[in-house]
Amino acid sequence: MSATENETLLRLVHVSKHFGDLKAVDDVSLDIEAGSVTCIVGPSGSGKSTLLRTVNMMESLDGGAIFLRGQMIGHELRRGHRVPVKAAVARRQTLNFGMVFQHFNLFPNYTALENVAAGPMLVRRTNKKTAHGAARRYLEQVGLGDRADHYPSELSGGQQQRVAIARALAMEPQILLFDEPTSALDPELVNEVLAVMRGLADAGSTMLVVTHEMRFAEEVADEIVMMDAGRVVERGAPAQIIHTPSTPRARKFFASVGTLAPSEAR
Amino acid sequence: MTAAPPTTRGIPVDDVSGQSVAALPIKQRVGVGSWLSIALAVFVGLVLIELLIFNDNWNWDLVFSYLFSQVILTGLLNTIVLTVLTTVLGLILGVFTAWCRMSRLVVLRTFALLYIWLMRAMPPLVMLLLVFFWGALVPRLGIGIPFLPPIFEVPTNELISRFSAAIIGLAIYLGAYSAEIIRGGVLSLQSGQFEACRALGLPPRLAYQKILGPQLIRVITPSMANEVITIFKSTSLVSVIGYTELLTTVQTIYARNFETIPLLTVAVIWYLVLTSLAMVGQSRLEKRFGRGFARRSTKKMTSVQATATTGTANVGH
Ligand SMILES: Nc1ncnc2c1ncn2[C@@H]1O[C@H](COP(=O)(O)OP(=O)(O)OP(=O)(O)O)[C@@H](O)[C@H]1O
Ligand SMILES: [Mg+2]
């Protein structure tokens, strides 16, 4: 999945998304290198999910552009302006991204194995035997080889989220997007999911992770981006941004999540 | 103060640790309610036996002589054919209308809404008569642009027979109602399911066919079964346009011999049979598309006892 180091895989340039008067994402520019892990943190409502969804083309852009390996995605050029790409093209482009949702969103009527095999079989037209074989391997990778034939309702939250990760991996995306993958989990189930994500990071996957898990962000991320009110407030190396943020807004946020002593908040 | 020994109905048991009480077998509790309900069942049973069997006015011999008679069976067949064709056509129309109703395009949405509005307002009887007498309103049906000469046309009355009028009349009715049921089903799906399909890059048609559709069928089956069962009783309305199905046949016979109750009984028996069939089909569908929702039998679950199903699983069976 990884390519040469230091290649810019994903580039966001002045990306904006409005809901009415609300600027959910406001002029965000970001470079993601191949093989890097970027964690997005910030208070609730700061636009983290929306940013992730614009990358995955689940939300249309109101401004700016997104480039994958230098190619603009989501829009194409016309004379003097841009138009959204056709639905079929958009679908092909989303295949570059694997999405893991806060609430798993597994297909309840499919077993774990079928959930993982569904994408390759339906979209890539892989035959059933190959797809199921690969699905089994992905389930083993996330530690669920023995749960392949269970329906989501028969799995714990942590197991469901790991199936969801396997489902995203099965499409062999270039970039994995995680939207608060552990927020819907009981505390004791969080670690099994984070462990899988750590494994993916170590294997060189490019990951964009919205999370409230500061320990994970500090240990795994190459860069942390802090958002507030739709804007990037501060970004940088994990240790630096978590423990010695430079802007007052970031200091206040990291004090509230406990990585900064309250006395340092100002 | 020492702990009082465990008691059953105030009789002390010589076993403070509760061992002997714990060893007693547990049986179903039979209370006053159980006895009363059994008595009620017996009473209702006797009433029914008296009403149905020891009442000569039912004239069961006559009922059975008509039950499998040629003329009744023909009427029954007509009912079945009408129901099946209406259902198939109506459901296709329903899916298409639901799709229009949820379309991105405002014109399609408006058309679907108008159609549903019209059908909801229109009594089915009026609908049938209107279709049947369409020829009086529009003598020639054609394809073309309004006010210009048509590319192709036929006399309306060649297209509309009693049979086709019955099917069209009932199907466009079912189409509107089932469209709303389907839309209700789509609304009931979690938005996460649509997003997961999109994230995997599934084209909408495939997503509906393989993933969303089966979940949809699970939720809409009970209401759809209602509609379909209503349809085969509504088929009796087609007597107004002179098409003879089960109930019309029965009516013609008792108009002649005045054996009203026995003949209506014949019709009711067949309606019961048809309804039973429909309900068997319904429960089959619910089982088939309930996978992942219904709890599975413990037999298959042996290896999994540890991870008991979560409470979110819906109805068991
Ligand atoms: N579809 C929508 N329509 C209108 N407003 C929206 C929509 N989606 C998000 N918003 C608004 O955009 C803002 C950013 O929302 P977003 O979900 O991106 O926040 P977030 O940073 O992910 O928050 P959280 O940590 O709570 O998940 C919020 O104020 C939200 O109310
Ligand atoms: Mg969010």
Short mmCIF file of all heavy atoms in Angstrom, two decimals, chain B residues 16-68:
data_model
loop_
_atom_site.label_atom_id
_atom_site.label_comp_id
_atom_site.label_asym_id
_atom_site.label_seq_id
_atom_site.Cartn_x
_atom_site.Cartn_y
_atom_site.Cartn_z
N VAL B 16 -30.37 -24.09 56.37
CA VAL B 16 -30.09 -22.67 56.33
C VAL B 16 -29.35 -22.27 55.05
O VAL B 16 -29.56 -21.21 54.48
CB VAL B 16 -29.28 -22.25 57.58
CG1 VAL B 16 -29.01 -20.77 57.56
CG2 VAL B 16 -30.03 -22.67 58.83
N SER B 17 -28.51 -23.17 54.55
CA SER B 17 -27.72 -22.81 53.36
C SER B 17 -28.58 -22.86 52.09
O SER B 17 -28.14 -22.44 51.03
CB SER B 17 -26.54 -23.76 53.20
OG SER B 17 -27.02 -25.06 52.93
N GLY B 18 -29.80 -23.40 52.19
CA GLY B 18 -30.70 -23.40 51.04
C GLY B 18 -30.43 -24.52 50.06
O GLY B 18 -31.00 -24.54 48.97
N GLN B 19 -29.57 -25.49 50.43
CA GLN B 19 -29.20 -26.56 49.49
C GLN B 19 -30.42 -27.35 49.01
O GLN B 19 -30.60 -27.57 47.82
CB GLN B 19 -28.22 -27.53 50.16
CG GLN B 19 -26.82 -26.98 50.35
CD GLN B 19 -26.07 -26.84 49.05
OE1 GLN B 19 -26.37 -27.52 48.08
NE2 GLN B 19 -25.11 -25.92 49.02
N SER B 20 -31.25 -27.78 49.98
CA SER B 20 -32.35 -28.67 49.58
C SER B 20 -33.40 -27.92 48.76
O SER B 20 -33.96 -28.46 47.82
CB SER B 20 -33.00 -29.30 50.81
OG SER B 20 -33.60 -28.28 51.59
N VAL B 21 -33.62 -26.63 49.10
CA VAL B 21 -34.57 -25.84 48.31
C VAL B 21 -34.04 -25.68 46.89
O VAL B 21 -34.77 -25.81 45.90
CB VAL B 21 -34.79 -24.46 48.95
CG1 VAL B 21 -35.71 -23.61 48.08
CG2 VAL B 21 -35.36 -24.61 50.34
N ALA B 22 -32.74 -25.43 46.78
CA ALA B 22 -32.13 -25.21 45.47
C ALA B 22 -32.23 -26.45 44.61
O ALA B 22 -32.22 -26.36 43.38
CB ALA B 22 -30.68 -24.79 45.64
N ALA B 23 -32.31 -27.63 45.25
CA ALA B 23 -32.33 -28.87 44.48
C ALA B 23 -33.73 -29.20 43.94
O ALA B 23 -33.87 -30.05 43.08
CB ALA B 23 -31.83 -30.03 45.34
N LEU B 24 -34.76 -28.52 44.49
CA LEU B 24 -36.12 -28.82 44.04
C LEU B 24 -36.30 -28.45 42.57
O LEU B 24 -35.79 -27.42 42.12
CB LEU B 24 -37.13 -28.03 44.88
CG LEU B 24 -37.20 -28.41 46.37
CD1 LEU B 24 -38.16 -27.48 47.10
CD2 LEU B 24 -37.64 -29.86 46.52
N PRO B 25 -37.01 -29.28 41.79
CA PRO B 25 -37.23 -28.95 40.38
C PRO B 25 -38.14 -27.74 40.23
O PRO B 25 -38.96 -27.47 41.12
CB PRO B 25 -37.89 -30.21 39.82
CG PRO B 25 -38.49 -30.88 41.00
CD PRO B 25 -37.63 -30.55 42.17
N ILE B 26 -37.99 -27.03 39.14
CA ILE B 26 -38.83 -25.85 38.87
C ILE B 26 -39.87 -26.21 37.82
O ILE B 26 -39.53 -26.73 36.76
CB ILE B 26 -37.97 -24.69 38.37
CG1 ILE B 26 -36.95 -24.30 39.46
CG2 ILE B 26 -38.83 -23.49 37.98
CD1 ILE B 26 -35.92 -23.31 39.00
N LYS B 27 -41.14 -25.96 38.15
CA LYS B 27 -42.21 -26.27 37.19
C LYS B 27 -42.96 -25.01 36.81
O LYS B 27 -42.82 -23.98 37.45
CB LYS B 27 -43.17 -27.30 37.80
CG LYS B 27 -42.54 -28.68 37.94
CD LYS B 27 -43.58 -29.68 38.41
CE LYS B 27 -42.95 -31.07 38.53
NZ LYS B 27 -43.78 -31.98 39.33
N GLN B 28 -43.74 -25.13 35.76
CA GLN B 28 -44.58 -24.01 35.34
C GLN B 28 -45.53 -23.63 36.46
O GLN B 28 -46.06 -24.51 37.14
CB GLN B 28 -45.37 -24.45 34.10
CG GLN B 28 -45.89 -23.30 33.27
CD GLN B 28 -44.78 -22.70 32.42
OE1 GLN B 28 -44.04 -23.43 31.79
NE2 GLN B 28 -44.65 -21.39 32.44
N ARG B 29 -45.74 -22.37 36.67
CA ARG B 29 -46.69 -21.94 37.69
C ARG B 29 -48.11 -22.00 37.12
O ARG B 29 -48.37 -21.45 36.06
CB ARG B 29 -46.35 -20.53 38.12
CG ARG B 29 -47.20 -20.05 39.26
CD ARG B 29 -46.93 -18.59 39.54
NE ARG B 29 -47.74 -18.17 40.67
CZ ARG B 29 -47.30 -18.16 41.91
NH1 ARG B 29 -46.06 -18.51 42.18
NH2 ARG B 29 -48.10 -17.78 42.89
N VAL B 30 -48.98 -22.73 37.80
CA VAL B 30 -50.37 -22.79 37.34
C VAL B 30 -51.23 -21.99 38.30
O VAL B 30 -51.48 -22.41 39.42
CB VAL B 30 -50.87 -24.25 37.26
CG1 VAL B 30 -52.27 -24.28 36.68
CG2 VAL B 30 -49.92 -25.09 36.43
N GLY B 31 -51.66 -20.83 37.88
CA GLY B 31 -52.44 -19.97 38.75
C GLY B 31 -53.88 -19.89 38.30
O GLY B 31 -54.30 -20.58 37.37
N VAL B 32 -54.62 -19.02 38.94
CA VAL B 32 -56.04 -18.85 38.60
C VAL B 32 -56.18 -18.43 37.14
O VAL B 32 -57.05 -18.91 36.42
CB VAL B 32 -56.67 -17.78 39.51
CG1 VAL B 32 -58.14 -17.63 39.21
CG2 VAL B 32 -56.43 -18.13 40.97
N GLY B 33 -55.27 -17.55 36.70
CA GLY B 33 -55.32 -17.05 35.33
C GLY B 33 -55.27 -18.18 34.32
O GLY B 33 -56.03 -18.20 33.34
N SER B 34 -54.38 -19.16 34.56
CA SER B 34 -54.25 -20.27 33.62
C SER B 34 -55.56 -21.03 33.53
O SER B 34 -56.05 -21.33 32.44
CB SER B 34 -53.16 -21.24 34.08
OG SER B 34 -52.03 -20.52 34.47
N TRP B 35 -56.16 -21.33 34.70
CA TRP B 35 -57.42 -22.09 34.71
C TRP B 35 -58.52 -21.32 34.00
O TRP B 35 -59.27 -21.87 33.20
CB TRP B 35 -57.85 -22.44 36.12
CG TRP B 35 -56.95 -23.48 36.75
CD1 TRP B 35 -56.16 -23.33 37.85
CD2 TRP B 35 -56.75 -24.81 36.30
NE1 TRP B 35 -55.47 -24.48 38.11
CE2 TRP B 35 -55.81 -25.41 37.17
CE3 TRP B 35 -57.26 -25.58 35.22
CZ2 TRP B 35 -55.37 -26.72 37.01
CZ3 TRP B 35 -56.82 -26.88 35.08
CH2 TRP B 35 -55.89 -27.44 35.96
N LEU B 36 -58.61 -20.03 34.29
CA LEU B 36 -59.64 -19.21 33.67
C LEU B 36 -59.49 -19.20 32.15
O LEU B 36 -60.47 -19.34 31.40
CB LEU B 36 -59.59 -17.78 34.20
CG LEU B 36 -60.29 -17.54 35.54
CD1 LEU B 36 -60.16 -16.09 35.95
CD2 LEU B 36 -61.77 -17.94 35.43
N SER B 37 -58.25 -19.05 31.68
CA SER B 37 -58.06 -18.98 30.23
C SER B 37 -58.39 -20.30 29.57
O SER B 37 -58.94 -20.33 28.47
CB SER B 37 -56.63 -18.55 29.90
OG SER B 37 -55.72 -19.50 30.38
N ILE B 38 -58.09 -21.41 30.27
CA ILE B 38 -58.45 -22.72 29.70
C ILE B 38 -59.97 -22.86 29.63
O ILE B 38 -60.53 -23.28 28.60
CB ILE B 38 -57.84 -23.87 30.54
CG1 ILE B 38 -56.32 -23.86 30.36
CG2 ILE B 38 -58.41 -25.22 30.11
CD1 ILE B 38 -55.57 -24.77 31.29
N ALA B 39 -60.64 -22.44 30.70
CA ALA B 39 -62.10 -22.49 30.72
C ALA B 39 -62.67 -21.66 29.57
O ALA B 39 -63.60 -22.09 28.87
CB ALA B 39 -62.62 -21.98 32.06
N LEU B 40 -62.07 -20.49 29.35
CA LEU B 40 -62.53 -19.63 28.27
C LEU B 40 -62.37 -20.31 26.92
O LEU B 40 -63.27 -20.28 26.07
CB LEU B 40 -61.74 -18.31 28.28
CG LEU B 40 -62.17 -17.27 27.26
CD1 LEU B 40 -63.55 -16.74 27.61
CD2 LEU B 40 -61.17 -16.14 27.18
N ALA B 41 -61.22 -20.98 26.75
CA ALA B 41 -60.96 -21.65 25.47
C ALA B 41 -61.99 -22.75 25.23
O ALA B 41 -62.52 -22.89 24.13
CB ALA B 41 -59.55 -22.24 25.47
N VAL B 42 -62.29 -23.52 26.28
CA VAL B 42 -63.27 -24.59 26.15
C VAL B 42 -64.64 -23.99 25.78
O VAL B 42 -65.31 -24.47 24.87
CB VAL B 42 -63.37 -25.39 27.47
CG1 VAL B 42 -64.56 -26.35 27.42
CG2 VAL B 42 -62.08 -26.16 27.70
N PHE B 43 -65.00 -22.91 26.46
CA PHE B 43 -66.28 -22.26 26.21
C PHE B 43 -66.38 -21.81 24.75
O PHE B 43 -67.34 -22.11 24.04
CB PHE B 43 -66.43 -21.07 27.15
CG PHE B 43 -67.67 -20.26 26.90
CD1 PHE B 43 -68.93 -20.73 27.25
CD2 PHE B 43 -67.58 -19.01 26.28
CE1 PHE B 43 -70.06 -19.99 27.01
CE2 PHE B 43 -68.71 -18.27 26.03
CZ PHE B 43 -69.96 -18.76 26.39
N VAL B 44 -65.34 -21.09 24.29
CA VAL B 44 -65.34 -20.61 22.91
C VAL B 44 -65.41 -21.77 21.93
O VAL B 44 -66.15 -21.75 20.95
CB VAL B 44 -64.10 -19.74 22.62
CG1 VAL B 44 -63.98 -19.41 21.13
CG2 VAL B 44 -64.16 -18.46 23.44
N GLY B 45 -64.67 -22.85 22.25
CA GLY B 45 -64.69 -24.04 21.40
C GLY B 45 -66.10 -24.59 21.28
O GLY B 45 -66.57 -24.88 20.17
N LEU B 46 -66.78 -24.70 22.42
CA LEU B 46 -68.15 -25.25 22.41
C LEU B 46 -69.10 -24.36 21.62
O LEU B 46 -69.91 -24.85 20.83
CB LEU B 46 -68.66 -25.42 23.85
CG LEU B 46 -67.97 -26.55 24.63
CD1 LEU B 46 -68.46 -26.58 26.08
CD2 LEU B 46 -68.24 -27.90 23.95
N VAL B 47 -68.95 -23.04 21.83
CA VAL B 47 -69.81 -22.11 21.09
C VAL B 47 -69.63 -22.32 19.59
O VAL B 47 -70.60 -22.40 18.82
CB VAL B 47 -69.49 -20.65 21.47
CG1 VAL B 47 -70.15 -19.68 20.49
CG2 VAL B 47 -69.95 -20.38 22.89
N LEU B 48 -68.36 -22.43 19.18
CA LEU B 48 -68.08 -22.58 17.75
C LEU B 48 -68.63 -23.89 17.22
O LEU B 48 -69.20 -23.93 16.12
CB LEU B 48 -66.56 -22.51 17.49
CG LEU B 48 -65.95 -21.11 17.57
CD1 LEU B 48 -64.46 -21.17 17.32
CD2 LEU B 48 -66.63 -20.17 16.58
N ILE B 49 -68.47 -24.97 18.01
CA ILE B 49 -68.98 -26.27 17.56
C ILE B 49 -70.49 -26.20 17.39
O ILE B 49 -71.05 -26.65 16.38
CB ILE B 49 -68.59 -27.38 18.56
CG1 ILE B 49 -67.08 -27.65 18.45
CG2 ILE B 49 -69.38 -28.67 18.30
CD1 ILE B 49 -66.54 -28.60 19.48
N GLU B 50 -71.17 -25.57 18.39
CA GLU B 50 -72.62 -25.46 18.30
C GLU B 50 -73.03 -24.65 17.06
O GLU B 50 -73.89 -25.02 16.29
CB GLU B 50 -73.18 -24.80 19.56
CG GLU B 50 -74.70 -24.84 19.60
CD GLU B 50 -75.27 -23.97 20.69
OE1 GLU B 50 -74.55 -23.07 21.18
OE2 GLU B 50 -76.44 -24.17 21.05
N LEU B 51 -72.30 -23.52 16.90
CA LEU B 51 -72.62 -22.61 15.80
C LEU B 51 -72.37 -23.25 14.44
O LEU B 51 -73.19 -23.15 13.53
CB LEU B 51 -71.77 -21.34 15.93
CG LEU B 51 -71.92 -20.31 14.82
CD1 LEU B 51 -73.28 -19.63 14.92
CD2 LEU B 51 -70.82 -19.27 14.92
N LEU B 52 -71.25 -23.94 14.32
CA LEU B 52 -70.84 -24.40 12.99
C LEU B 52 -71.39 -25.78 12.65
O LEU B 52 -71.74 -26.05 11.51
CB LEU B 52 -69.31 -24.42 12.88
CG LEU B 52 -68.64 -23.05 12.91
CD1 LEU B 52 -67.13 -23.20 12.94
CD2 LEU B 52 -69.07 -22.23 11.70
N ILE B 53 -71.42 -26.67 13.65
CA ILE B 53 -71.75 -28.06 13.31
C ILE B 53 -73.19 -28.42 13.65
O ILE B 53 -73.89 -29.02 12.84
CB ILE B 53 -70.76 -29.03 14.01
CG1 ILE B 53 -69.35 -28.72 13.50
CG2 ILE B 53 -71.12 -30.49 13.71
CD1 ILE B 53 -68.26 -29.54 14.12
N PHE B 54 -73.66 -28.02 14.84
CA PHE B 54 -75.03 -28.39 15.21
C PHE B 54 -76.04 -27.31 14.82
O PHE B 54 -76.94 -26.99 15.55
CB PHE B 54 -75.08 -28.68 16.72
CG PHE B 54 -74.31 -29.90 17.08
CD1 PHE B 54 -72.97 -29.82 17.42
CD2 PHE B 54 -74.91 -31.17 17.04
CE1 PHE B 54 -72.24 -30.96 17.74
CE2 PHE B 54 -74.19 -32.29 17.36
CZ PHE B 54 -72.85 -32.19 17.70
N ASN B 55 -75.82 -26.72 13.69
CA ASN B 55 -76.75 -25.70 13.21
C ASN B 55 -77.04 -25.99 11.75
O ASN B 55 -76.21 -25.73 10.87
CB ASN B 55 -76.10 -24.32 13.38
CG ASN B 55 -77.03 -23.21 12.94
OD1 ASN B 55 -78.04 -23.46 12.28
ND2 ASN B 55 -76.69 -21.98 13.31
N ASP B 56 -78.20 -26.58 11.51
CA ASP B 56 -78.51 -27.05 10.16
C ASP B 56 -78.61 -25.94 9.13
O ASP B 56 -78.50 -26.18 7.93
CB ASP B 56 -79.83 -27.85 10.17
CG ASP B 56 -79.66 -29.15 10.94
OD1 ASP B 56 -78.48 -29.58 11.03
OD2 ASP B 56 -80.65 -29.69 11.45
N ASN B 57 -78.80 -24.71 9.63
CA ASN B 57 -78.94 -23.61 8.68
C ASN B 57 -77.68 -23.37 7.83
O ASN B 57 -77.74 -22.72 6.80
CB ASN B 57 -79.30 -22.32 9.42
CG ASN B 57 -80.66 -22.44 10.07
OD1 ASN B 57 -81.46 -23.28 9.64
ND2 ASN B 57 -80.90 -21.67 11.10
N TRP B 58 -76.53 -23.86 8.35
CA TRP B 58 -75.32 -23.70 7.53
C TRP B 58 -75.42 -24.53 6.26
O TRP B 58 -74.82 -24.19 5.26
CB TRP B 58 -74.08 -24.15 8.30
CG TRP B 58 -73.62 -23.16 9.31
CD1 TRP B 58 -73.85 -23.22 10.65
CD2 TRP B 58 -72.88 -21.98 9.07
NE1 TRP B 58 -73.30 -22.14 11.26
CE2 TRP B 58 -72.69 -21.35 10.32
CE3 TRP B 58 -72.36 -21.36 7.94
CZ2 TRP B 58 -71.99 -20.16 10.47
CZ3 TRP B 58 -71.66 -20.18 8.08
CH2 TRP B 58 -71.49 -19.58 9.33
N ASN B 59 -76.13 -25.63 6.39
CA ASN B 59 -76.31 -26.50 5.24
C ASN B 59 -74.97 -26.97 4.65
O ASN B 59 -74.63 -26.71 3.51
CB ASN B 59 -77.12 -25.75 4.16
CG ASN B 59 -77.94 -26.71 3.34
OD1 ASN B 59 -77.63 -27.92 3.32
ND2 ASN B 59 -78.96 -26.21 2.67
N TRP B 60 -74.21 -27.67 5.50
CA TRP B 60 -72.85 -28.04 5.12
C TRP B 60 -72.80 -28.92 3.87
O TRP B 60 -71.85 -28.85 3.11
CB TRP B 60 -72.14 -28.72 6.28
CG TRP B 60 -71.74 -27.72 7.33
CD1 TRP B 60 -72.33 -27.54 8.55
CD2 TRP B 60 -70.70 -26.76 7.23
NE1 TRP B 60 -71.73 -26.51 9.22
CE2 TRP B 60 -70.71 -26.02 8.45
CE3 TRP B 60 -69.76 -26.43 6.26
CZ2 TRP B 60 -69.83 -24.98 8.70
CZ3 TRP B 60 -68.87 -25.40 6.52
CH2 TRP B 60 -68.91 -24.68 7.72
N ASP B 61 -73.85 -29.78 3.71
CA ASP B 61 -73.85 -30.63 2.52
C ASP B 61 -73.80 -29.78 1.26
O ASP B 61 -73.03 -30.03 0.33
CB ASP B 61 -75.12 -31.50 2.48
CG ASP B 61 -75.08 -32.56 3.58
OD1 ASP B 61 -73.95 -32.79 4.07
OD2 ASP B 61 -76.14 -33.09 3.93
N LEU B 62 -74.62 -28.73 1.28
CA LEU B 62 -74.67 -27.83 0.14
C LEU B 62 -73.32 -27.13 -0.04
O LEU B 62 -72.80 -27.01 -1.15
CB LEU B 62 -75.79 -26.81 0.34
CG LEU B 62 -76.19 -26.03 -0.90
CD1 LEU B 62 -76.92 -26.95 -1.86
CD2 LEU B 62 -77.08 -24.85 -0.52
N VAL B 63 -72.77 -26.68 1.11
CA VAL B 63 -71.47 -26.01 1.05
C VAL B 63 -70.45 -26.90 0.36
O VAL B 63 -69.76 -26.48 -0.57
CB VAL B 63 -70.97 -25.65 2.47
CG1 VAL B 63 -69.52 -25.21 2.43
CG2 VAL B 63 -71.84 -24.57 3.07
N PHE B 64 -70.40 -28.18 0.80
CA PHE B 64 -69.37 -29.04 0.22
C PHE B 64 -69.67 -29.41 -1.22
O PHE B 64 -68.75 -29.63 -2.01
CB PHE B 64 -69.18 -30.31 1.08
CG PHE B 64 -68.42 -30.00 2.34
CD1 PHE B 64 -69.02 -30.12 3.59
CD2 PHE B 64 -67.11 -29.52 2.27
CE1 PHE B 64 -68.32 -29.80 4.74
CE2 PHE B 64 -66.41 -29.21 3.41
CZ PHE B 64 -67.02 -29.34 4.65
N SER B 65 -70.96 -29.45 -1.56
CA SER B 65 -71.27 -29.79 -2.96
C SER B 65 -70.84 -28.66 -3.89
O SER B 65 -70.47 -28.87 -5.04
CB SER B 65 -72.76 -30.07 -3.12
OG SER B 65 -73.49 -28.87 -3.02
N TYR B 66 -70.87 -27.41 -3.36
CA TYR B 66 -70.44 -26.29 -4.20
C TYR B 66 -68.94 -26.03 -4.13
O TYR B 66 -68.36 -25.49 -5.06
CB TYR B 66 -71.19 -25.01 -3.78
CG TYR B 66 -72.51 -24.83 -4.48
CD1 TYR B 66 -73.71 -24.92 -3.80
CD2 TYR B 66 -72.53 -24.58 -5.86
CE1 TYR B 66 -74.92 -24.77 -4.45
CE2 TYR B 66 -73.75 -24.42 -6.52
CZ TYR B 66 -74.92 -24.52 -5.81
OH TYR B 66 -76.10 -24.35 -6.46
N LEU B 67 -68.33 -26.42 -2.98
CA LEU B 67 -66.95 -26.01 -2.71
C LEU B 67 -66.02 -26.33 -3.88
O LEU B 67 -65.17 -25.52 -4.25
CB LEU B 67 -66.46 -26.69 -1.43
CG LEU B 67 -65.19 -26.11 -0.79
CD1 LEU B 67 -65.35 -24.63 -0.52
CD2 LEU B 67 -64.87 -26.84 0.50
N PHE B 68 -66.16 -27.55 -4.46
CA PHE B 68 -65.27 -27.93 -5.55
C PHE B 68 -65.99 -27.99 -6.90
O PHE B 68 -65.52 -28.62 -7.83
CB PHE B 68 -64.63 -29.29 -5.24
CG PHE B 68 -63.76 -29.25 -4.03
CD1 PHE B 68 -64.20 -29.76 -2.82
CD2 PHE B 68 -62.49 -28.67 -4.09
CE1 PHE B 68 -63.40 -29.70 -1.69
CE2 PHE B 68 -61.69 -28.62 -2.97
CZ PHE B 68 -62.13 -29.13 -1.77
#
